[in-house]
Coordinates of all heavy atoms in Angstrom, one line a residue:
I13 N 2.6 11.1 1.8 CA 3.0 12.0 2.9 C 2.7 13.4 2.5 O 3.1 13.9 1.5 CB 4.5 11.9 3.1 CG1 4.9 10.4 3.5 CG2 5.0 12.8 4.2 CD1 6.3 10.1 3.7
T14 N 1.9 14.0 3.3 CA 1.5 15.4 3.1 C 2.2 16.4 4.0 O 2.5 16.0 5.1 CB 0.0 15.6 3.2 OG1 -0.4 15.2 4.5 CG2 -0.8 14.7 2.2
E15 N 2.3 17.6 3.6 CA 2.9 18.6 4.5 C 1.9 19.0 5.5 O 0.7 19.1 5.3 CB 3.3 19.8 3.7 CG 4.5 19.7 2.7 CD 4.8 21.0 2.0 OE1 4.1 21.9 2.1 OE2 5.9 21.0 1.4
R16 N 2.5 19.4 6.7 CA 1.7 20.0 7.7 C 1.4 21.4 7.3 O 2.1 22.0 6.6 CB 2.4 19.9 9.0 CG 2.7 18.5 9.5 CD 3.6 18.6 10.7 NE 4.7 19.5 10.6 CZ 5.5 19.9 11.5 NH1 5.3 19.5 12.7 NH2 6.5 20.7 11.3
P17 N 0.2 21.9 7.8 CA -0.1 23.3 7.5 C 1.0 24.3 7.8 O 1.3 25.2 7.1 CB -1.4 23.6 8.2 CG -2.0 22.2 8.4 CD -0.8 21.3 8.6
V18 N 1.6 24.1 9.0 CA 2.7 25.0 9.4 C 3.9 25.0 8.4 O 4.4 26.0 8.0 CB 3.2 24.7 10.8 CG1 4.5 25.5 11.2 CG2 2.1 25.0 11.9
E19 N 4.2 23.8 8.0 CA 5.3 23.6 7.0 C 5.0 24.4 5.7 O 5.8 25.1 5.2 CB 5.5 22.1 6.7 CG 6.7 21.9 5.8 CD 6.9 20.4 5.6 OE1 6.6 19.6 6.5 OE2 7.5 20.1 4.5
S20 N 3.8 24.2 5.2 CA 3.4 24.9 4.0 C 3.5 26.4 4.1 O 3.9 27.1 3.2 CB 2.0 24.5 3.6 OG 1.9 23.1 3.3
R21 N 3.0 26.9 5.2 CA 3.0 28.3 5.5 C 4.4 28.9 5.6 O 4.7 30.0 5.1 CB 2.1 28.7 6.7 CG 0.6 28.4 6.4 CD -0.2 28.5 7.6 NE -0.3 29.9 8.1 CZ -0.8 30.2 9.3 NH1 -1.4 29.2 10.1 NH2 -0.8 31.4 9.8
V22 N 5.2 28.2 6.3 CA 6.6 28.6 6.5 C 7.3 28.6 5.1 O 8.0 29.6 4.8 CB 7.4 27.7 7.5 CG1 8.9 28.0 7.5 CG2 6.9 28.0 8.9
K23 N 7.2 27.6 4.3 CA 7.8 27.6 3.0 C 7.2 28.7 2.2 O 8.0 29.3 1.4 CB 7.5 26.2 2.3 CG 8.3 25.1 2.9 CD 7.9 23.8 2.1 CE 8.8 22.7 2.4 NZ 8.5 21.5 1.6
A24 N 6.0 29.0 2.3 CA 5.4 30.2 1.5 C 6.1 31.5 1.9 O 6.3 32.3 1.1 CB 3.9 30.2 1.7
V25 N 6.3 31.7 3.2 CA 7.0 32.9 3.6 C 8.4 32.9 3.0 O 8.8 34.0 2.5 CB 7.1 32.9 5.2 CG1 8.0 34.0 5.7 CG2 5.7 33.2 5.8
F26 N 9.2 31.8 3.1 CA 10.5 31.8 2.5 C 10.4 32.1 1.0 O 11.2 32.9 0.5 CB 11.2 30.5 2.7 CG 11.8 30.3 4.1 CD1 11.3 29.4 5.0 CD2 12.9 31.0 4.4 CE1 11.9 29.2 6.2 CE2 13.5 30.9 5.7 CZ 13.0 30.0 6.6
S27 N 9.4 31.6 0.4 CA 9.2 31.8 -1.1 C 9.0 33.3 -1.4 O 9.7 33.9 -2.2 CB 8.0 31.0 -1.6 OG 7.7 31.3 -2.9
R28 N 8.1 33.9 -0.6 CA 7.8 35.3 -0.9 C 9.0 36.2 -0.5 O 9.3 37.1 -1.3 CB 6.6 35.8 0.0 CG 5.3 35.4 -0.5 CD 4.2 36.1 0.3 NE 4.3 36.0 1.7 CZ 3.7 35.1 2.5 NH1 3.0 34.1 1.9 NH2 3.8 35.1 3.8
E29 N 9.7 35.9 0.6 CA 10.7 36.8 1.0 C 12.0 36.6 0.3 O 12.8 37.6 0.1 CB 11.0 36.6 2.5 CG 9.8 37.0 3.4 CD 9.4 38.5 3.2 OE1 10.3 39.4 3.2 OE2 8.2 38.8 3.2
L30 N 12.3 35.4 -0.2 CA 13.6 35.1 -0.8 C 13.5 34.9 -2.3 O 14.6 34.8 -3.0 CB 14.2 33.9 -0.2 CG 14.4 34.0 1.3 CD1 15.0 32.7 1.9 CD2 15.4 35.2 1.7
G31 N 12.3 34.9 -2.9 CA 12.2 34.8 -4.3 C 12.3 33.4 -4.9 O 12.6 33.3 -6.1
F32 N 12.2 32.4 -4.1 CA 12.2 31.0 -4.6 C 10.8 30.6 -4.9 O 9.8 31.1 -4.2 CB 12.8 30.1 -3.5 CG 14.3 30.2 -3.3 CD1 14.8 31.0 -2.3 CD2 15.2 29.5 -4.1 CE1 16.1 31.2 -2.1 CE2 16.5 29.7 -3.9 CZ 17.0 30.5 -2.9
R33 N 10.6 29.6 -5.7 CA 9.3 28.9 -5.8 C 9.2 28.0 -4.6 O 10.2 27.4 -4.1 CB 9.2 28.1 -7.1 CG 9.2 28.9 -8.4 CD 8.8 28.0 -9.6 NE 9.3 26.7 -9.6 CZ 10.4 26.2 -10.1 NH1 11.2 27.0 -10.9 NH2 10.8 24.9 -10.1
V34 N 7.9 27.8 -4.2 CA 7.7 27.0 -3.0 C 8.3 25.6 -3.2 O 8.8 25.0 -2.3 CB 6.2 26.9 -2.6 CG1 5.9 25.9 -1.5 CG2 5.7 28.3 -2.2
D35 N 8.1 25.0 -4.4 CA 8.6 23.7 -4.7 C 10.1 23.6 -4.7 O 10.7 22.5 -4.7 CB 8.0 23.1 -5.9 CG 8.4 23.8 -7.2 OD1 9.0 24.9 -7.1 OD2 8.1 23.3 -8.3
Q36 N 10.8 24.7 -4.6 CA 12.3 24.7 -4.6 C 12.8 24.6 -3.2 O 14.0 24.5 -2.9 CB 12.8 25.9 -5.3 CG 12.6 26.0 -6.8 CD 13.1 27.2 -7.4 OE1 12.7 28.3 -6.9 NE2 14.0 27.1 -8.3
I37 N 11.9 24.8 -2.2 CA 12.3 24.9 -0.8 C 12.0 23.5 -0.1 O 10.9 23.0 -0.1 CB 11.6 26.0 -0.1 CG1 11.9 27.3 -0.8 CG2 11.9 26.1 1.4 CD1 11.0 28.5 -0.3
N38 N 13.1 23.0 0.5 CA 13.0 21.7 1.2 C 13.3 21.9 2.7 O 14.0 22.8 3.0 CB 14.0 20.7 0.6 CG 13.8 20.4 -0.8 OD1 12.7 19.9 -1.2 ND2 14.8 20.7 -1.6
I39 N 12.7 21.1 3.5 CA 12.9 21.3 4.9 C 14.3 21.1 5.4 O 14.8 21.6 6.4 CB 11.9 20.5 5.8 CG1 12.2 19.0 5.6 CG2 10.5 20.8 5.5 CD1 11.4 18.1 6.6
T40 N 15.1 20.4 4.5 CA 16.5 20.2 4.9 C 17.4 21.3 4.4 O 18.6 21.3 4.7 CB 17.0 18.8 4.3 OG1 16.8 18.9 2.9 CG2 16.3 17.6 4.9
D41 N 16.9 22.2 3.6 CA 17.7 23.4 3.1 C 18.3 24.1 4.3 O 17.6 24.5 5.3 CB 16.9 24.3 2.3 CG 16.6 23.7 0.9 OD1 17.2 22.8 0.5 OD2 15.6 24.3 0.2
K42 N 19.6 24.5 4.2 CA 20.2 25.3 5.1 C 20.0 26.8 4.7 O 20.1 27.1 3.6 CB 21.7 25.0 5.1 CG 22.0 23.6 5.6 CD 23.5 23.3 5.6 CE 23.7 21.9 6.1 NZ 25.1 21.5 6.0
L43 N 19.6 27.6 5.7 CA 19.2 28.9 5.5 C 20.3 29.8 4.8 O 20.0 30.5 3.9 CB 18.7 29.6 6.8 CG 17.6 28.9 7.5 CD1 17.2 29.6 8.8 CD2 16.4 28.7 6.6
C44 N 21.5 29.7 5.3 CA 22.6 30.5 4.7 C 23.2 29.8 3.4 O 23.2 30.5 2.4 CB 23.7 30.7 5.7 SG 23.2 31.7 7.1
E45 N 23.5 28.6 3.6 CA 24.2 27.9 2.5 C 23.3 27.7 1.3 O 23.7 27.9 0.1 CB 24.9 26.6 2.9 CG 26.0 26.8 3.9 CD 25.6 26.9 5.3 OE1 24.4 27.0 5.6 OE2 26.4 26.8 6.2
D46 N 22.1 27.1 1.5 CA 21.2 26.7 0.4 C 20.3 27.9 -0.1 O 20.1 28.0 -1.3 CB 20.4 25.5 0.8 CG 21.2 24.3 1.1 OD1 22.3 24.1 0.4 OD2 20.9 23.5 2.0
L47 N 19.8 28.6 0.9 CA 18.9 29.7 0.5 C 19.6 31.1 0.4 O 19.0 32.1 0.0 CB 17.7 29.8 1.5 CG 16.9 28.5 1.6 CD1 15.8 28.7 2.6 CD2 16.3 28.1 0.3
G48 N 20.8 31.2 0.8 CA 21.6 32.4 0.6 C 21.2 33.5 1.6 O 21.4 34.7 1.2
M49 N 20.6 33.2 2.7 CA 20.2 34.2 3.6 C 21.3 34.9 4.3 O 22.3 34.3 4.7 CB 19.2 33.6 4.7 CG 17.9 33.2 4.1 SD 16.8 32.5 5.3 CE 16.5 33.8 6.5
D50 N 21.2 36.3 4.4 CA 22.1 37.1 5.2 C 21.3 37.6 6.4 O 20.2 37.3 6.6 CB 22.8 38.1 4.4 CG 21.7 39.1 3.7 OD1 20.6 39.2 4.2 OD2 22.1 39.8 2.7
S51 N 22.0 38.5 7.2 CA 21.3 39.0 8.4 C 20.1 39.8 8.1 O 19.1 39.7 8.9 CB 22.3 39.8 9.2 OG 22.8 40.9 8.5
L52 N 20.1 40.5 7.0 CA 18.9 41.3 6.7 C 17.7 40.3 6.3 O 16.6 40.5 6.7 CB 19.1 42.2 5.5 CG 18.0 43.1 5.0 CD1 17.4 43.9 6.2 CD2 18.4 44.0 3.9
D53 N 18.0 39.3 5.6 CA 17.0 38.3 5.2 C 16.4 37.6 6.5 O 15.2 37.4 6.5 CB 17.6 37.2 4.3 CG 18.0 37.7 2.9 OD1 17.3 38.5 2.4 OD2 19.0 37.2 2.4
F54 N 17.3 37.3 7.4 CA 16.8 36.7 8.7 C 15.8 37.7 9.3 O 14.7 37.2 9.8 CB 18.0 36.4 9.7 CG 18.6 35.1 9.5 CD1 19.6 34.9 8.6 CD2 18.1 34.0 10.2 CE1 20.2 33.7 8.4 CE2 18.7 32.7 10.0 CZ 19.7 32.6 9.1
A55 N 16.1 39.0 9.4 CA 15.2 39.9 10.0 C 13.9 40.0 9.2 O 12.8 40.0 9.8 CB 15.8 41.3 10.1
E56 N 14.0 40.0 7.9 CA 12.8 40.1 7.1 C 11.9 38.9 7.2 O 10.7 39.0 7.2 CB 13.1 40.4 5.6 CG 13.7 41.8 5.4 CD 14.2 42.1 4.0 OE1 14.5 41.1 3.3 OE2 14.4 43.3 3.7
V57 N 12.5 37.7 7.2 CA 11.8 36.5 7.3 C 11.1 36.4 8.7 O 10.0 36.0 8.8 CB 12.7 35.2 7.0 CG1 12.0 33.9 7.4 CG2 13.0 35.2 5.5
A58 N 11.9 36.8 9.7 CA 11.3 36.7 11.1 C 10.0 37.6 11.1 O 9.0 37.2 11.7 CB 12.3 37.2 12.1
L59 N 10.1 38.8 10.6 CA 9.0 39.8 10.6 C 7.8 39.2 9.8 O 6.6 39.3 10.2 CB 9.4 41.1 10.0 CG 10.2 42.0 10.9 CD1 10.7 43.2 10.2 CD2 9.5 42.4 12.2
A60 N 8.1 38.6 8.7 CA 7.1 38.0 7.8 C 6.4 36.8 8.6 O 5.2 36.6 8.5 CB 7.6 37.5 6.5
L61 N 7.2 36.0 9.3 CA 6.6 34.9 10.1 C 5.8 35.4 11.2 O 4.7 34.8 11.5 CB 7.8 34.0 10.6 CG 8.5 33.1 9.6 CD1 9.8 32.6 10.1 CD2 7.6 32.0 9.0
E62 N 6.2 36.5 11.8 CA 5.4 37.1 12.9 C 4.0 37.5 12.4 O 3.0 37.2 13.0 CB 6.1 38.3 13.5 CG 7.3 38.0 14.3 CD 8.2 39.2 14.7 OE1 7.8 40.3 14.4 OE2 9.2 39.0 15.3
E63 N 4.0 38.1 11.2 CA 2.8 38.5 10.6 C 1.9 37.3 10.1 O 0.7 37.3 10.4 CB 3.1 39.4 9.4 CG 1.9 40.1 8.8 CD 2.3 41.1 7.7 OE1 3.1 42.0 8.0 OE2 1.8 40.9 6.6

Side-chain angles (χ1 to χ4, degrees):
I13 299 173
T14 58
E15 289 184 348
R16 299 174 311 166
V18 169
E19 182 177 332
S20 298
R21 291 170 65 189
V22 168
K23 285 181 172 183
V25 167
F26 279 114
S27 173
R28 282 193 308 270
E29 295 300 316
L30 302 176
F32 290 95
R33 291 191 328 261
V34 172
D35 65 348
Q36 293 176 305
I37 300 170
N38 298 301
I39 63 169
T40 57
D41 285 344
K42 294 180 180 174
L43 303 181
C44 295
E45 292 87 349
D46 298 325
L47 300 181
M49 289 179 64
D50 60 21
S51 58
L52 181 58
D53 292 322
F54 272 89
E56 290 173 344
V57 167
L59 288 172
L61 289 167
E62 290 169 5
E63 189 173 303

